[in-house]
Amino acid sequence: MKKLTFIFVLFFTVCLNAQEAYIEQAMQDEMARAKKDLFIKASPKPHFIGYFLYDEESVEISAALGALNHSFKEAAKRVMPDIRVGSNKFDNTGFGYFRHPYTYVSGGYDGVRNGLWRMSDIDYKGMLKQYSQKEGFLKQKNITEYYDDFSKTPRLNVKAKKKNEVFDAARFENLARALSAVGLGYKEFKNFYANITFNDTEKYYLNSEGSSSYQNSINLFIEVTAELQTKDGFEITKTYAKNYASLADAPPDEELLIKARAFAARAALFASAKKAESFIGPVWFAGASARDFFNQTFVKQIINTKPYLYPDVDKDAYAGNFAEKPGLRVISTNIDVSDDPAARQYNNLTLSGHTEMDDEGAASKHVLLTNNGKLTALLTTRSLLKGQKNSNGHGFYTGDRYSRGFRAGITNLFFTPKVTVPEAQMKNKLIEECAKLNLEYCYKAEDHTGAMFKIYVRDGREEQVYGAEITNMDARALRDILHAGSDMTVYNDGWSAIIAPSIIVAEMEITPTQKQSAKKPFVAKPK
Amino acid sequence: MKKASFLLIILLPIVVFAQKDDVLLTSMKEELARNFAAAKKESPAAYYMSYYVQDNNNLFITASLGDIKTSQSARFIQADVDARVGSRRLDNTHEIKNSKDTPYELATYKIPLDADPKAIKNALWRATQAAIKTAQDRYAKVKTNYKTTAKSADDSPDFSPAPKTPAQYYAPITFTEHDIKLLEAKAKKYSALMKEYPFILGSGVSFEIKENNRYIVTTEGASVVEGQNISRLRFTADTRNKDGMELSTGKIYNLANGMPDDEAMIKDIRAALENLRIYKDAPVIDPVSVPVILKAQAAGVFVHEIFGHRAEGFRQKLESSGQTFTKQLGQLVSAPIISIVDDPSLSTFNGRALYAYKYDDEATPAQKAVLIENGVLKGFLMDRNPIKGFPQSNGHGRKELGYRAVARMANTIVSASENMPYEDLRLKLKEEIKKQNKPFGLIIEELDGGFTLVERDLPQSFTIQSKLSRRVYPDDRPDEIVRGLRLIGTPLSVFKNIIAAADDPDIFYGSCGADSGWVPVTAVSPSLLFSAMETEKVPNQAQTLPILPNPAGGVK
């Protein structure tokens, strides 16, 4: 029996290597001739070619009220070129609404080459158009400062190990059933369901400078959702979600069930929630709401730091404005922020953002972004900002409609407090802060749904409210962080992660939602 | 061997399930009754509801250049709810004039795969709550619009009376255990052929197997469970001329007729690719008006697009519709040799499978609808939306899940009272060219889809793109493949231009998209000779040829 197992494993490994080899070979062969001959006479040539191949496997499972809704498995290979025409100093990038074409390909050498061939042709011609438009646009403008579009970077070859994680669909189907069955015990819920998705993505990369990489990302997403209606008819959807970068990190099923039960009990309380009232004062962002807070206030400003130029608008609405703020205080002095692509784990949990190379072939490096509240560095790409010499390896491809391209992005973003409040003391701290302001109550958020808890200063009583909309969730609020909890938590998200504590922010503005309540069901839910 | 493969892969043994043990059906009936009892007391009250649930088992395999691109199977169940408030005379589905607000789209809901009555009923309950609210909202708009706009020429009720005997039918199919490895092997083998043709840019071979059981229960007491299997094998290949024109070829096989054997498939693919090679560099034709033969499958598609959609009953009373044939009943609308029926109850034609059903998506028995008899318009395709002179459905209420059923085609069959061998039809084309003193005529072998404008605020014209056409000279010069043409015209005149038909009826298997979503259809027709048809040039994307040669084969 032992021997059989050994043979199986060995065989599997051999197959795997063979598979990687044909993909790499196809990429190299197509690259060789593209570097030599992919150009149109008398037109700018490509000064850089990058090839991506994503080999993606995914499983999507859904169950509601104890019964399985679906269980889908998909596998696909996708290729995308990154062709830049002109020169390192001036090329087609950073301008307008371009996108690189991609196509799904069959799983063989010929399919990969065919896809790269067809997409490269389209990409080169599209980028030529982009180049001429950018050239024409700049001629009409009086631009005095222009920094290189694509700096040099040393050749780098990265070959991560394949993770070989095996998703047990039957186990997770049963888990989805069990998690969703938790809702059966609550008359308050109109629906209670669980979604589990698993993604195993292998990313192959090769560029014309000789850099290459193979990286493998695992993402297990477990989500439980309760839909309910308050007594006055307001519809609320509450979700408990966790994202793991390794199957091994997922807690045992029984532990997940305990969490689901706790979530359901808490969500059910919102059936008697009252509408939020206008409020200005301290808010405690607990759990996933802290992640949402940092995403809205910090991440948005630290990504896409080099603005794109657009022919029809004056400002790149997707550019983070921290590029203008090095040396200035951007966050509470209690929290240092760093981006650490080298980190593989935190608190024994695998981090999604671990990488050795970004999508431009540059080595991804640790960056201390803030020190004592001041912005000390930026996440950079090979497209230079004022004063920048090299990339620190944070150029990642984004598929957003308007901000697409290789732009500054995060890997593992740590919000590390110097002084922390024990998690169990956070409520008392909130009450203390409210009392200082002579407020009757303050708010605690646990997610971004607007369904929050009022916490009364007098007796610590918690009261559920709905429709609480925060109107000043912007970078200014970062400087108002009063306290950070001891509960540093990992929030994985595909190829990046945020590691952050719960926080109390001094002054947030809440206004009640304008959204109207819905009519109650004309017949009770079935028994 | 061929037969064995067919049995293994395609045959769907129909098992008589015990209806009483069908948890899904029982749950649907119970929840419908419970919800309707309450919805009848709402204001405005529901007067009719139906649950439509589709249990799907799909398999989709695609291959390209000798390797698998996707291979996925999916089992899922979904539901939608048709709720009608107001009265049969005027309800929430009524046309809102001068508005883009249509009643066709319905919300869809996931239904559990597990036979769990509580979870099934919960999903149906949520679907019903939303459907009633949507219906009530729209009914308020309908009432105002009805009062404030001029009376329609056809003010028939919105919903036909309940059938005297509600349908009771129970024939689900068991889903097939597919031999996925075998199908993948075939897809790989066929797709590998494309590697020998470096002028091809993109190509693929796919198996699309869609099995489902439709569950329909209505508050009028109907209960229908009917299985369906739409299994197709398809190949496609595309290329580009140096002037930038995109050209393609392909073929769809209905696997209900059996799995084509390898030899036949390889022959078909090679023939299509050789044609595409010629087609790629064929001369572009300038706009002309000349005699035309539409070969059998192309003729079927043409009749479907240009006549069929205009014979859909509900369009005859929509004020927004062109109503081309509404007032033509009893009149000659086509050449007298032509008759057209649509018969969803017909399961085969000349021994080959059609897309038949016993009951439509409104639980009405499928019936043959006579549309044109000897050139004279006799009737329309009817759902339960009555029109003047046609108060009842003839079983053509069809839909894709997520839509409300409307009258649609199913198996559209064109026949000719006089016909001749195809070769004679071709000679007749030459005669006609000479008679009209035209430099050439056209044979349209394949059509590449198209559209017909049926909205009143648009020209009542059609445009159909040719996939493969030949120029035919009146003399002995050989036929010549030409490219870049679309057939254009208007529906009232074009069918009167039919002057002859061949004796070669063939079946086109397709999917038709319209107001109630996508439904499988067939069109059967012989080759038809038109005395004249007009063409226009196709738009050209003007993409240049790839700079580098195709890596497959390594030559141009």
Side-chain angles (χ1 to χ4, degrees), chain B residues 408-455:
Chain B
R408 301 288 294 272
M409 286 166 273
N411 299 315
T412 308
I413 297 163
V414 182
S415 58
S417 54
E418 296 165 23
N419 55 41
M420 60 187 77
Y422 177 73
E423 272 314 306
D424 291 352
L425 192 73
R426 203 170 164 285
L427 291 174
K428 200 165 170 62
L429 169 68
K430 291 205 172 210
E431 279 171 24
E432 193 63 24
I433 298 166
K434 285 178 199 159
K435 193 171 109 188
Q436 293 183 30
N437 203 20
K438 298 283 184 185
F440 59 85
L442 291 167
I443 295 177
I444 311 292
E445 301 217 357
E446 291 175 44
L447 293 176
D448 198 16
F451 56 87
T452 183
L453 303 171
V454 294
E455 298 296 312

Side-chain angles (χ1 to χ4, degrees), chain A residues 33 37 65 67-69 104 106-108 110 114 117-118 121 125 177 190-191 519 521-526, chain B residues 34-35 42 64-65 67-69 112-114 122 125-126 129 133 195 201 544-549 551:
Chain A
R33 67 173 191 149
D37 294 324
L65 297 168
L68 190 69
N69 276 341
Y104 289 93
S106 57
D110 290 318
N114 182 278
W117 164 61
R118 288 187 295 124
D121 195 80
K125 290 167 183 171
R177 284 188 180 99
K190 291 171 84 173
N191 194 16
K519 209 168 134 183
F522 62 82
V523 58
K525 80 170 185 177
Chain B
R34 193 178 79 91
N35 279 270
E42 282 286 287
S64 177
L65 302 171
D67 283 294
I68 294 299
K69 198 168 174 181
L113 294 172
D114 296 335
N122 185 276
W125 167 70
R126 287 184 293 111
Q129 297 301 313
K133 280 179 192 169
K195 285 200 258 188
L201 297 178
T544 54
L545 286 173
I547 297 162
L548 299 173

